[in-house]
Amino acid sequence: MSRHSVAREASHLQQRLESLNEARELAEGVLPDESLQEVLEILERASSRRSLSAGHTVVGFFGATGSGKSSLFNAVNGAEIATAAARRPTTSEPLASVWGVAGSEPLLDWLEVPARHHASPVNGFADEETGLILLDLPDFDSTRLANRQIVQRMVGMVDVLVWVLDPQKYADAAVHHDFLGPLSAHGAVTLVVLNQVDKLAPADVDPVLESLRSILTGEGLGKVRVLAASALTGAGVDSVRSAIRQVAIQRQAASQRMAADVSNAARSLSEASGTGKAAGVKGGTADRLSQELAVAANVPLVVDAVASSYRLEATKRTGWPVTRWLSRFRPDPLRRLNLRREAGTAEVHRTSLPQAGAPERARTDAAVRNFADAASAGAPGPWRSAIRGAAREGRDQLPDALDQAIAGTELKAGRTSWWWGFFNVIQWLALLTALGGLGWLGVLAVLGYLQMPVPEVPRVEGWPIPTLMIAGGAVLGIVLALAGRVLASLAAGARARAARRRLEAAVADVAERLVVEPVKVELTRFAAFAEALRKAS
């Protein structure tokens, strides 16, 4: 592989690692902690491995008791290292055989392999330029817990995994179920060796190998290279060496191992998350939420109060002066609700609207739940729960927030209408005219009572002008009062509709802030998680 290809692969791996970490961070609080912890461990291992020698390939020999793993290790090394190492009294301790000591120490320290052997060059296999580390590891089926823990740890850390099986236990469920199966994505860095083929009749070797390949294929490892060897006779050892050397000289095993780990981790996160695409926030669902919250927050009651308050104020300003004073004894509906803001006052206060009872709370809860259900429809289970939870978080704040929103909405209750002044002037002129007629007739009556000369009263079409003044003033006042009621009703309806729009907008702002926006945040988080997981995969 060319240097540019290596750099390109390294850059691609870095992007996948970053995407996997992003997916992990986005899934915190949504997916199970154990799944996220596994991903974090993979990321930490990858970070540590990338910081260590890229010129060395670590090959681990894994096998069960009696598989001849250490014997094959010795055969590949060309020396009895596994038994001759002075500092390795038992097989419970990993042993490293190193070609290319320079730069290997930090890597072996990270692997926690204290027993190290500086291997001699093996012609056609490895020398100091090869940068190869072979590890002989404890038996994975050891009765000692410490040994099994070492194997489990090394399975996740070495660059290349060599599984040494024997003809008697090659189908053992322990190795396939606990180790090979979960590593199905690691085919490029996995080698399976059927050792001790000298114990089989020559005619049985191929059928056993075919049976082993069939088992591996069923576990997703159909592309794994399977070799037959005998550490005792040396048959097939050169093939094992060749396979290991080919991986070592390409200097890509560590990256391929990490790439496989990322694929496994991404698949694990995908399985924990589930698949699906959330419906998202639609305009109609947000509008329905706002409408339900408006009803629960008594917006219709406030709208009716706006209309009633306008009609009452119009009557006070334009009604017949003889009777309009009676309207002052009627309470202002907006003032009773503590919603009548005096001119020039910007203070936001609490309303005197009825406290939310069980029906209103149930309506609010149902509205929030229906909105969350619609927005999360199609999302996988954990994310659907997260979206619903985000919608519910602001639910307890809704009553106070809605009350404050209504209290802070400008209802324009103190604004007068242009026709009020005109009607008021005409009403008073009509009343003064009627009073003038009454006064005129009163003077004439007094003069007649005192037997004084009574002047002739002017007439129009035979009707005395004072009488016409009284009748005309009274009729005009009543007509104006009736006309004022009609105009007030029409104007009150327009003002109520304008107030409804402003109140509903205020309620929609509260719904957006406490319910819709948190849901959008979770939806965006889920979309980002899915995209990061796609890139990591």
Side-chain angles (χ1 to χ4, degrees):
M1 184 177 290
S2 69
R3 186 168 53 189
H4 294 297
S5 297
V6 171
R8 187 165 56 250
E9 288 296 324
S11 175
H12 184 228
L13 176 60
Q14 178 63 27
Q15 291 173 359
R16 292 185 65 195
L17 288 167
E18 290 174 355
S19 296
L20 180 62
N21 187 51
E22 181 184 0
R24 181 193 64 81
E25 291 176 345
L26 289 167
E28 287 183 355
V30 178
L31 300 186
D33 290 341
E34 54 269 22
S35 296
L36 301 180
Q37 183 60 32
E38 289 175 6
V39 174
L40 180 60
E41 290 173 359
I42 287 173
L43 290 168
E44 289 176 343
R45 285 202 303 267
S47 176
S48 298
R49 182 63 183 93
R50 283 163 64 87
S51 68
L52 298 168
S53 175
H56 285 83
T57 301
V58 182
V59 180
F61 279 65
F62 300 86
T65 304
S67 64
K69 166 179 55 62
S70 295
S71 297
L72 183 63
F73 175 83
N74 287 333
V76 171
N77 275 273
E80 292 295 318
I81 299 171
T83 56
R87 296 187 180 182
R88 191 177 188 240
T90 68
T91 57
S92 62
E93 185 179 272
L95 167 67
S97 181
V98 185
W99 287 270
V101 174
S104 66
E105 297 298 321
L107 178 56
L108 289 168
D109 289 342
W110 175 67
L111 291 167
E112 298 181 18
V113 179
R116 305 166 188 180
H117 173 74
H118 185 187
S120 301
V122 177
N123 188 35
F125 174 52
D127 54 28
E128 287 298 298
E129 300 300 322
T130 307
L132 178 62
I133 300 174
L134 300 186
L135 298 179
D136 184 25
L137 300 168
D139 301 332
F140 66 76
D141 60 349
S142 172
T143 57
R144 294 185 59 187
L145 177 61
N147 289 1
R148 296 198 302 273
Q149 289 176 336
I150 291 173
V151 174
Q152 289 282 5
R153 179 171 59 85
M154 287 298 185
V155 164
M157 299 178 76
V158 300
D159 301 330
V160 179
L161 303 99
V162 176
W163 292 97
V164 182
L165 308 178
D166 64 89
Q168 287 75 36
K169 295 188 291 184
Y170 71 89
D172 186 10
V175 65
H176 290 277
H177 182 270
D178 296 340
F179 294 99
L180 287 171
L183 294 171
S184 60
H186 296 68
V189 291
T190 300
L191 179 66
V192 175
V193 179
L194 181 66
N195 192 27
Q196 300 176 354
V197 292
D198 55 284
K199 295 182 178 180
L200 293 173
D204 293 334
V205 174
D206 287 340
V208 171
L209 285 174
E210 188 61 32
S211 174
L212 176 57
R213 291 190 183 97
S214 177
I215 294 173
L216 293 172
T217 299
E219 294 166 343
L221 290 165
K223 295 183 179 180
V224 169
R225 190 171 180 182
V226 179
L227 299 174
S230 171
L232 180 64
T233 66
V237 172
D238 285 341
S239 297
V240 176
R241 286 175 176 170
S242 177
I244 294 174
R245 174 177 172 77
Q246 185 178 358
V247 172
I249 63 176
Q250 288 178 347
R251 299 284 196 273
Q252 288 299 297
S255 296
Q256 290 173 341
R257 167 62 201 257
M258 284 183 273
D261 285 344
V262 171
S263 296
N264 260 4
R267 184 171 64 250
S268 175
L269 280 184
S270 179
E271 291 172 354
S273 166
T275 58
K277 184 176 181 181
V281 176
K282 309 296 183 182
T285 58
D287 289 344
R288 283 194 295 274
L289 172 66
S290 298
Q291 290 166 5
E292 290 297 315
L293 292 182
V295 174
N298 292 303
V299 166
L301 177 62
V302 176
V303 171
D304 290 342
V306 169
S308 298
S309 177
Y310 181 88
R311 287 193 295 266
L312 178 60
E313 192 64 26
T315 300
K316 291 179 181 178
R317 303 289 188 93
T318 66
W320 193 27
V322 176
T323 58
R324 72 167 64 170
W325 61 274
L326 294 172
S327 62
R328 298 186 182 278
F329 294 99
R330 292 170 54 194
D332 187 328
L334 285 178
R335 200 175 298 280
R336 291 176 61 185
L337 296 176
N338 201 24
L339 287 172
R340 190 172 183 88
R341 190 180 304 171
E342 302 299 332
T345 301
E347 181 184 357
V348 176
H349 45 72
R350 290 191 63 84
T351 72
S352 296
L353 288 165
Q355 292 293 319
E360 289 76 20
R361 289 195 297 271
R363 186 164 197 151
T364 298
D365 290 347
V368 172
R369 184 173 59 254
N370 292 338
F371 171 77
D373 288 346
S376 63
W383 290 99
R384 190 163 60 249
S385 297
I387 295 168
R388 290 171 174 171
R392 289 193 299 267
E393 282 181 3
R395 185 176 52 188
D396 294 338
Q397 305 173 43
L398 279 174
D400 284 341
L402 290 172
D403 189 82
Q404 289 293 310
I406 291 174
T409 300
E410 177 55 67
L411 301 176
K412 300 184 178 180
R415 179 176 296 184
T416 61
S417 294
W418 64 269
W419 59 274
W420 287 2
F422 175 74
F423 270 50
N424 190 43
V425 170
I426 300 300
Q427 282 281 29
W428 281 108
L429 288 176
L431 179 60
L432 290 175
T433 299
L435 291 176
L438 283 172
W440 193 342
L441 290 179
V443 170
L444 293 178
V446 170
L447 289 176
Y449 180 76
L450 296 175
Q451 300 297 310
M452 295 178 67
V454 179
E456 184 69 25
V457 178
R459 294 176 179 273
V460 176
E461 298 293 332
W463 291 88
I465 288 180
T467 303
L468 291 176
M469 289 173 65
I470 295 170
V475 170
L476 181 58
I478 293 171
V479 169
L480 284 174
L482 294 174
R485 285 195 174 189
V486 174
L487 287 176
S489 180
L490 295 174
R495 183 161 290 189
R497 287 190 292 274
R500 181 186 293 276
R501 287 193 295 271
R502 288 190 291 273
L503 287 167
E504 288 179 346
V507 169
D509 286 342
V510 172
E512 178 73 23
R513 176 167 52 89
L514 294 181
V515 181
V516 178
E517 189 58 34
V519 166
K520 286 181 178 178
V521 169
E522 286 302 313
L523 288 169
T524 301
R525 181 184 175 193
F526 171 50
F529 166 81
E531 178 62 16
L533 200 59
R534 184 191 66 79
K535 291 179 179 178
S537 298

